[in-house]
Amino acid sequence: MAVGVLALQGSFNEHVAALRRLGVKGVEIRKPEQLQSVTSLIIPGGESTTMAKLAEYHNLFPALREFVKMGKPVWGTCAGLIFLANKATGQKSGGQELIGGLDCTVHRNFFGSQIQSFEAELPVPQIADKEGGPPTFRAVFIRAPAILEVGPEVVVLADIPVSSNKADDPNLALESTEGSTGSREKVIVAVKQGNLLATAFHPELTADTRWHSYFLKMVDEVGEGASSSICAVGGEFQKSRTDLPVYQ
């Protein structure tokens, strides 16, 4: 099996390396015709405005939209999430072109600038159930977006509590949830809708390949000829730790 990785800018090399650890070849995609050689695609994190300009320069948007409409599995991480969203807020003047297909509204720089990058331990029950390993995932957020609203067909895979200043912002429509500590506000950071997977964080920057394995199983479920030998990550699983602050 070969998985396409959009290689215009950003962390495409890290995705290719993660796929290689699972015994899968990652094919770098830079031109529309190259999409014909793959049956699934990863859109990596990076600078979304720059990636959009390069995609427009190479006339990639029509081919990418057709790829999504054909039902082929596509996973967007960070900037890739923005690309897949039907609607994006918090954009620069003039905005940027989107691929669309994912029924959600994304806030482009919800968590702040580069220096406000952080790590957080996310409960991921559906990922742990399908891929094994711990019940949480150590997620790396770098100048990250967040999902503010989702449509009825979107399955939420992970969310995160937000800081008080975000919760008090009248321009943000945040979800409220009741827990053991009372009411709190949260935003969604990982979703699945049909053939589309999206994460606001960067699984490719960790040693935990469960999200990549989960995506490969989506390829198999869509019936695009994925190898049935791709197995869940079990006891050999490792977590990546760095000294970034955990978002409170």
Side-chain angles (χ1 to χ4, degrees), residues 69-187:
K69 288 179 182 178
M70 290 175 66
K72 296 183 178 181
V74 181
W75 175 19
T77 63
C78 197
L81 159 62
I82 299 171
F83 269 80
L84 290 179
N86 283 345
K87 181 180 179 182
T89 64
Q91 299 206 71
K92 297 177 181 178
S93 178
Q96 69 181 61
E97 197 168 354
L98 303 174
I99 298 169
L102 185 61
D103 187 10
C104 71
T105 299
V106 172
H107 191 288
R108 185 175 178 272
N109 283 126
F110 182 88
F111 293 106
S113 65
Q114 192 83 6
I115 61 172
Q116 292 168 303
S117 301
F118 65 95
E119 290 190 5
E121 205 72 44
L122 299 180
V124 287
Q126 294 187 58
I127 300 301
D129 180 63
K130 195 161 188 177
E131 303 301 326
T136 61
F137 178 84
R138 188 74 176 181
V140 179
F141 292 82
I142 302 176
R143 198 181 177 189
I147 300 170
L148 304 182
E149 298 176 339
V150 296
E153 296 183 0
V154 177
V155 178
V156 176
L157 299 177
D159 54 45
I160 187 173
V162 300
S163 59
S164 57
N165 62 317
K166 290 289 186 184
D168 293 337
D169 189 338
N171 296 315
L172 300 177
L174 304 182
E175 293 188 0
S176 180
T177 182
E178 295 291 334
S180 59
T181 57
S183 180
R184 63 186 178 99
E185 304 296 329
K186 64 178 181 178
V187 289

